[in-house]
């Protein structure tokens, strides 16, 4: 009992000292706070005095300067200089006094600028005065008065701010004094009450000590049972002695039947895989040195059977008051199965990537192999179609079928390639300003023919697009619209198709909306999502009756979403459907108009012929480089129509030899050829041009590849432009004209 009394007596003495110390701290800190607030009040008083002084001195400066101008007496000038110096001193004092107020510093900077301007204006007028002769200038009076008024305005604002601050600080000072006294009284009462409460608490705690010690013993027993029951291996490392407690489960994971025991850290190190030891200790040291906030790592440990077990180690360190680690407690979990699963998944991922790469290479190769003959087929069909009047009428239907089939095949190849690009994330969008109404006119003209062939009505309303330019990928937007209208016409046997284009405002953003409505077969509500899935149609019978790959809508919706928009559908089975394209739109009004595509082609042809007519024979030839006879025939027909002189090379080696023997104005270079491909041929031409100083030859790459990066590679090796196959006549002539004019 004496021991308890002594402990309580010592404790109460310490608590009393703490209360006295705390009270003393409040007295000192409160007094310091009062002095600080009083200093702020005095500082505000000084600010007011200095601002008022500046206003008076400025008026004195103006008066002294005017006196000097009127009397031309040096005494007035000295008065002016003295007041100017006083203003500068006051501004310097105000800079210190207002250092704690951003608003006052800003006003002071403005006042200083006006003061400098006023001084400059006054001294400029004074400089015109001749000693002994009065001078009454008329210029500059309004300027000086304006600057003085601004100084007066700013001074008034500073005075208002300072007086308001003075009032606030005075109130705060009085409140601080009252709070100081209240805090002192409350501190005394609270300290006394705290001593009484703590004394009662300590007496009660002493009574409970015995029961707590008994509970602690029970808790230790339960904790030991919990360690044994967990599936994790527990370790408790005393860093100061290097002794480590290992639970039974710690060694059971490694195949040892050991009870929980105390060992050393070396026991752990000896079990770690030799290749992991350095990394394991490096991670532990970084954690104990405070370089990392948490400790967690995976490594291998030796099993009793000789195999290696993957464990995940986690732990928490305890640090002393000097920040030195003294203890670390943690757990090991067996994650061997997780690691095996990850390795299996990684292998599957690598195989999937290899398959994807193989698919990409296959598509690139097949694209070239299909597009190469397709270029010849579609090119010859288009050339024959231009001369349809010269063809036997019995063959008109054959020619029409050839054109339709080549177009369908080209669309199919493009759909497959677009689907592959979207699936691999390689789709690239371009941004350009283009006439929205012109693009829609082209689509309507093309799709109206298909509607007429089926004998259905075709109505379009896009007046809202008239005279507007849209920023976006013209080709992709056109592709989506063509796909939606083409689908509507394909699935409509009677009635008609209507297209309505509108501009909508949503959440302060502009959207382009195109609704394509048909009176076709319609779609059941449960199949709305199905029609947008790849290779799927709402009904297998639809596929048999109408054909198609089921890629068009899937590609269109993906393209719309990549552009930030979407495609929606509403439909009633047997009644018809409406597909709505919604895209974010950046629209600009324009005043100029453009020709239709046919007019563009004809205009380009005329400009090319005119350009070719000015060429000299020795510098006026074109070299066509292609190993496929069909492509040579198509290009030859196009160039013959334009009146161009050209030579033909059927390999890169032959092309390089012809170029070395004679100059060419332009080279149309195929990419994939035997002996030497187009990339290598162009690189060799550019190398020889650089070495010999020979004039640069314009080169256009013609690639049947259509995957991401093919066009960019053409430009990287030194080509001036590139065209994908099958060739589009308008694009071909546009590129041809540009390079002919530039070269």
């Amino acid at each position: 009992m004496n021991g308890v009394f002594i402990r309580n007596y010592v404790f109460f003495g310490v608590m009393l000292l703490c209360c006295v110390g705390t009270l003393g701290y409040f007295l000192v800190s409160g007094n310091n706070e009062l002095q600080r607030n009083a200093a702020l009040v005095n500082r505000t008083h000084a600010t007011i005095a200095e601002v008022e002084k500046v206003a008076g001195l400025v008026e004195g400066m103006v008066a002294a300067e005017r006196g000097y101008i009127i009397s031309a007496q040096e005494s007035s000038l000295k008065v002016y200089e003295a007041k100017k110096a006083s203003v500068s001193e006051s501004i310097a004092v105000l800079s210190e006094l207002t250092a704690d107020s951003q608003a006052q510093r800003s006003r002071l900077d403005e006042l200083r600028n006006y003061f400098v301007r006023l001084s400059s204006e006054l001294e400029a007028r004074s400089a015109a005065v001749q000693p002994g002769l009065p001078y009454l200038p008329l210029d500059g009076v309004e300027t000086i008065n304006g600057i003085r008024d601004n100084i007066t305005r700013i001074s008034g604002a500073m005075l208002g701010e300072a007086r308001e601050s003075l009032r606030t600080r005075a109130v705060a000072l009085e409140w601080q004094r009252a709070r100081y006294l209240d805090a002192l009284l409350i501190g005394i009462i609270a300290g006394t009450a705290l001593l009484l409460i703590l004394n009662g608490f300590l007496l009660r705690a002493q009574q409970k000590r015995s029961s707590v010690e008994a509970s602690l013993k029970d808790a230790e027993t339960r904790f030991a049972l919990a360690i044994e029951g967990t599936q994790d291996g527990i370790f408790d490392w005393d860093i100061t002695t290097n002794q480590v407690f290992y639970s039974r489960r710690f060694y059971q994971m490694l195949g040892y039947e050991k009870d929980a025991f105390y060992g050393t850290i070396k026991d752990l190190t000896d079990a770690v895989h030799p290749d992991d030891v350095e990394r394991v200790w490096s991670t532990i040291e970084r954690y104990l040195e405070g370089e990392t906030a948490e400790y967690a790592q995976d490594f291998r440990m030796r099993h009793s059977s000789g195999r290696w077990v993957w464990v995940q180690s986690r732990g928490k360190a305890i640090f002393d008051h000097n920040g030195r680690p003294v203890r670390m407690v943690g757990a090991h979990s067996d994650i061997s199965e997780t690691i095996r699963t990850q390795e299996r998944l990684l292998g599957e991922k690598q195989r999937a990537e290899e398959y994807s790469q193989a698919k990409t290479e296959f598509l690139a190769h097949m694209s070239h192999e299909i597009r190469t003959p397709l270029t010849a087929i579609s090119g010859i069909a288009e050339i024959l179609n231009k001369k349809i009047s010269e063809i036997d009428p019995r063959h008109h239907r054959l020619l029409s079928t050839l054109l339709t089939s080549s177009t369908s095949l080209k669309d199919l190849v493009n759909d497959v390639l677009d689907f592959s690009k979207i699936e691999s994330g390689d789709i690239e969008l371009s941004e350009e300003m283009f006439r929205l109404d012109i693009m829609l006119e082209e689509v309507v003209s093309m799709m109206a023919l298909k509607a007429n062939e089926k004998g259905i009505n075709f109505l379009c309303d896009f007046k809202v697009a008239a005279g507007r330019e849209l920023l976006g990928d013209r080709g992709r937007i056109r592709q989506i619209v063509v796909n939606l209208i083409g689908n509507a016409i394909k699935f409509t046997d009677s009635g008609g198709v209507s297209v309505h284009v509108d501009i909508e405002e949503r959440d302060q953003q502009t959207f382009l909306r195109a609704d394509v409505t048909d009176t076709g077969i319609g779609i059941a509500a449960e199949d709305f999502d199905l029609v947008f899935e790849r290779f799927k149609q709402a009904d297998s019978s639809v596929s048999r009756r109408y054909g198609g790959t089921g890629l068009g809508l899937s590609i269109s919706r993906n393209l719309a979403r990549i552009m930030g928009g979407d495609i929606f559908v509403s439909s009633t089975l047997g009644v018809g459907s409406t597909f709505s394209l919604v895209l974010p739109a950046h629209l600009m009004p324009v005043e100029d108009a453009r020709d239709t595509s046919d007019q563009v082609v004809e205009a380009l042809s005329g400009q090319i012929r005119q350009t070719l007519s000015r060429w000299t024979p020795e510098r006026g030839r074109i070299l066509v480089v292609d190993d496929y006879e069909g492509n040579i025939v198509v290009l030859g027909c196009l160039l013959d129509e334009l009146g161009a002189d050209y030579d033909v090379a059927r390999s890169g080696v032959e092309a390089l030899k012809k170029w070395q023997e004679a100059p060419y104005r332009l080279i149309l270079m195929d990419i994939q050829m035997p002996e030497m491909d187009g990339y290598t041929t162009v690189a060799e031409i550019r190398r020889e041009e650089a070495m010999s100083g020979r004039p640069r030859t314009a080169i256009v790459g013609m690639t049947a590849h259509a995957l991401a990066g093919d066009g960019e590679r053409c430009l990287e090796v030194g080509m001036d432009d590139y065209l994908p196959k099958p060739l589009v006549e308008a694009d071909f002539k546009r590129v041809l004209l540009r390079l002919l004019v530039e070269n």
Side-chain angles (χ1 to χ4, degrees):
M1 190 65 180
N2 290 335
V4 174
F5 175 78
I6 293 172
R7 284 198 304 273
N8 286 343
Y9 181 81
V10 173
F11 179 77
F12 291 148
V14 172
M15 288 299 299
L16 181 61
L17 290 176
C18 291
C19 290
V20 172
T22 302
L23 183 60
Y25 169 77
F26 278 115
L27 288 173
V28 174
S29 62
N31 184 60
N32 291 338
E33 184 69 17
L34 288 173
Q35 291 180 356
R36 188 182 70 81
N37 285 336
L40 290 175
V41 171
N42 293 334
R43 190 175 196 175
T44 307
H45 277 296
T47 300
I48 294 172
E50 288 297 332
V51 172
E52 292 175 343
K53 180 179 176 182
V54 167
L57 289 172
V58 168
E59 291 292 337
M61 282 176 59
V62 174
E65 186 268 348
R66 289 179 178 171
Y68 175 68
I69 291 175
I70 295 171
S71 64
Q73 293 181 359
E74 292 294 331
S75 58
S76 296
L77 186 60
K78 290 180 180 179
V79 171
Y80 166 78
E81 294 293 342
K83 290 186 178 297
K84 176 182 176 182
S86 298
V87 173
S88 298
E89 292 176 0
S90 294
I91 290 176
V93 172
L94 284 172
S95 295
E96 297 179 359
L97 293 175
T98 60
D100 59 340
S101 173
Q102 180 64 36
Q104 291 287 58
R105 287 204 308 272
S106 177
R107 294 190 186 99
L108 183 59
D109 290 339
E110 189 177 2
L111 187 145
R112 185 183 291 109
N113 292 334
Y114 279 118
F115 168 67
V116 172
R117 288 180 54 192
L118 179 64
S119 300
S120 299
E121 292 289 338
L122 293 175
E123 291 168 5
R125 293 206 319 167
S126 300
V129 177
Q130 297 181 5
L133 296 178
Y135 174 64
L136 297 175
L138 297 177
D139 298 334
V141 174
E142 292 184 0
T143 302
I144 291 172
N145 288 340
I147 297 174
R148 183 188 59 187
D149 291 343
N150 281 322
I151 292 176
T152 301
R153 173 181 58 78
I154 297 169
S155 299
M158 292 184 69
L159 282 173
E161 174 73 16
R163 285 168 180 159
E164 178 63 23
S165 178
L166 177 61
R167 186 187 67 78
T168 302
R169 288 174 174 173
V171 171
L173 180 60
E174 290 302 321
W175 179 82
Q176 184 67 32
R177 286 173 179 166
R179 192 184 70 168
Y180 174 71
L181 295 175
D182 293 343
L184 179 61
L185 180 61
I186 292 172
I188 294 173
I189 295 173
T192 303
L194 180 63
L195 287 173
L196 294 175
I197 292 171
L198 287 175
N199 183 51
F201 176 77
L202 288 173
L203 289 174
R204 186 179 179 186
Q206 188 66 35
Q207 295 173 355
K208 292 183 177 181
R209 180 174 180 178
S210 298
S211 61
V212 170
E213 289 177 349
S215 298
L216 180 61
K217 186 174 181 180
D218 292 339
E220 289 177 348
T221 303
R222 287 193 296 272
F223 179 68
L225 292 174
I227 291 177
E228 293 299 324
T230 183
Q231 294 300 309
D232 291 342
I234 308 299
F235 67 90
D236 183 356
W237 177 21
D238 186 339
I239 299 176
T240 58
T241 64
N242 259 345
Q243 268 196 323
V244 185
F245 166 79
Y246 299 102
S247 68
R248 182 195 302 271
R249 176 60 184 162
F250 186 93
Y251 275 101
Q252 285 180 345
M253 286 191 305
L254 303 178
Y256 299 102
E257 293 297 331
K258 290 186 177 181
D259 292 332
F261 74 100
Y262 282 92
T264 65
I265 197 65
K266 188 175 182 300
D267 298 327
L268 173 66
T269 306
D270 291 344
V272 175
H273 194 288
D275 294 342
D276 296 342
V277 171
E278 183 177 352
R279 173 174 59 84
V280 168
W281 275 108
S282 175
T283 302
I284 294 174
E285 289 171 357
R286 287 199 307 273
Y287 170 68
L288 295 179
E289 292 172 2
E291 296 180 12
T292 56
E294 297 180 352
Y295 168 72
Q297 63 172 325
D298 302 338
F299 52 86
R300 292 164 292 180
M301 297 186 71
R302 183 185 295 106
H303 192 269
S304 62
S305 63
R307 63 184 177 89
W308 297 101
V309 177
W310 276 97
V311 299
Q312 183 182 72
S313 177
R314 309 171 305 282
K316 184 73 175 178
I318 299 173
F319 300 86
D320 63 14
H321 62 281
N322 294 320
R324 289 191 298 266
V326 295
R327 187 177 178 184
M328 185 172 178
V329 180
H332 284 181
S333 302
D334 187 344
I335 59 169
S336 299
E337 186 60 32
T338 302
I339 294 295
R340 284 192 291 269
T341 302
Q342 290 176 350
E343 291 174 347
R344 185 174 65 254
L345 292 176
L346 180 60
E348 292 175 357
K349 177 185 176 184
Q350 290 175 343
R351 287 192 295 273
E353 290 174 349
E354 291 172 358
Y355 295 153
S356 177
Q357 180 62 28
K359 182 190 72 174
T360 299
E361 294 174 357
F362 170 77
L363 284 174
H365 179 72
M366 291 306 298
S367 166
H368 180 273
E369 295 302 320
I370 295 173
R371 284 174 178 267
T372 296
L374 183 57
T375 299
I377 295 170
S378 60
I380 292 172
E382 291 173 2
I383 292 170
L384 292 175
N385 191 52
K386 290 182 179 179
K387 301 178 180 181
I388 194 169
S389 60
E390 304 174 9
I391 298 176
D392 189 332
R394 294 175 299 175
H395 297 156
H396 287 183
R397 188 170 183 180
L398 295 176
L399 179 58
S400 175
T401 303
L402 178 62
L403 276 170
T404 303
S405 299
S406 64
T407 301
S408 299
L409 181 57
K410 182 166 59 176
D411 291 342
L412 174 60
V413 172
N414 289 335
D415 282 349
V416 172
L417 291 173
D418 282 343
F419 170 72
S420 176
K421 292 177 185 178
I422 292 171
E423 189 179 51
S424 62
D426 290 333
I427 195 76
E428 295 180 0
L429 300 178
S430 63
E431 283 197 346
E432 59 177 339
M433 296 299 298
F434 65 91
R435 279 285 294 274
L436 181 58
D437 51 355
I438 297 296
M439 185 271 287
L440 292 172
E441 285 176 6
E442 293 175 357
V443 173
V444 168
S445 298
M446 177 177 62
M447 304 310 294
L449 294 175
K450 293 186 177 181
N452 289 335
E453 290 175 358
K454 292 196 69 172
I456 61 176
N457 296 324
F458 185 51
L459 301 175
C460 296
D461 176 16
F462 53 90
K463 294 187 295 293
V464 71
R468 295 192 184 214
E469 278 196 331
L470 176 66
L471 177 63
D473 191 320
R474 182 183 188 278
R476 293 301 185 183
I477 295 175
R478 182 180 185 276
Q479 177 182 352
I480 296 173
V481 175
V482 168
N483 198 309
L484 294 179
I485 298 176
N487 269 2
I489 293 173
K490 181 168 72 172
F491 293 111
T492 301
D493 294 325
S494 62
V497 173
S498 64
V499 180
H500 178 73
V501 178
D502 201 358
I503 305 298
E504 298 181 350
E505 296 289 337
R506 300 181 186 174
D507 301 327
Q508 299 181 344
Q509 187 175 358
T510 303
F511 288 87
L512 172 69
R513 182 185 182 100
D515 294 320
V516 180
T517 303
D518 64 65
T519 58
I521 61 177
I523 306 169
E526 61 270 18
D527 293 329
F528 283 0
D529 291 333
L530 184 65
V531 297
F532 290 106
E533 293 185 19
R534 57 192 182 185
F535 306 114
K536 295 288 184 67
Q537 292 185 340
D539 191 326
S540 60
S541 63
V542 171
S543 178
R544 290 193 297 269
R545 180 179 176 188
Y546 294 98
T549 62
L551 285 175
L553 286 176
S554 175
I555 292 171
S556 296
R557 171 176 268 188
N558 277 290
L559 288 173
R561 288 178 173 176
I562 291 172
M563 296 178 191
D566 208 341
I567 296 178
F568 307 95
V569 60
S570 61
S571 181
T572 302
L573 192 63
V575 176
S577 306
T578 297
F579 284 83
S580 300
L581 168 65
V582 179
L583 292 175
H586 178 66
L587 295 164
M588 296 290 292
V590 293
E591 298 178 358
D592 63 317
R594 298 179 184 175
D595 294 333
T596 63
S597 58
D598 291 339
Q599 293 171 326
V600 169
V601 172
E602 187 59 35
L604 288 171
S605 299
Q607 294 176 46
I608 293 173
R609 293 189 191 98
Q610 185 178 4
T611 302
L612 290 172
S613 66
R614 296 194 295 267
W615 283 12
T616 58
E618 65 276 5
R619 180 67 173 148
R621 298 189 70 80
I622 296 175
L623 179 60
V624 177
V625 185
D626 204 307
D627 64 321
Y628 185 66
E629 190 64 31
N631 291 339
I632 295 174
V633 171
V634 172
L635 289 171
C637 289
L638 291 173
L639 294 175
D640 287 337
E641 179 192 347
L642 297 171
D645 295 327
Y646 63 93
D647 294 327
V648 176
R650 287 174 170 77
S651 71
V653 173
E654 184 181 354
L656 183 60
K657 182 178 179 182
K658 284 182 176 292
W659 175 83
Q660 291 169 339
E661 294 173 350
Y664 286 96
R665 191 70 170 264
L666 177 68
I667 299 178
L668 302 176
M669 179 71 68
D670 186 27
I671 298 303
Q672 185 167 321
M673 296 181 294
E675 298 184 67
M676 182 184 293
D677 62 27
Y679 297 130
T680 307
T681 306
V682 173
E684 185 63 25
I685 289 174
R686 296 303 185 215
R687 186 186 68 80
E688 292 192 18
E689 285 176 344
M691 293 179 60
S692 63
R694 184 171 174 174
R696 181 183 176 90
T697 303
I699 303 177
V700 179
M702 296 183 300
T703 173
H705 292 264
L707 297 181
D710 293 330
E712 288 74 5
R713 187 179 175 190
C714 290
L715 300 179
E716 288 174 1
V717 300
M719 298 185 192
D720 299 277
D721 212 327
Y722 66 92
L723 291 167
K725 296 178 181 178
L727 296 176
V728 177
E729 184 178 358
D731 294 338
F732 171 74
K733 291 183 177 180
R734 189 175 291 109
V735 171
L736 191 65
L737 177 61
R738 179 178 66 81
L739 293 179
L740 292 178
V741 172
E742 291 178 357
N743 295 276

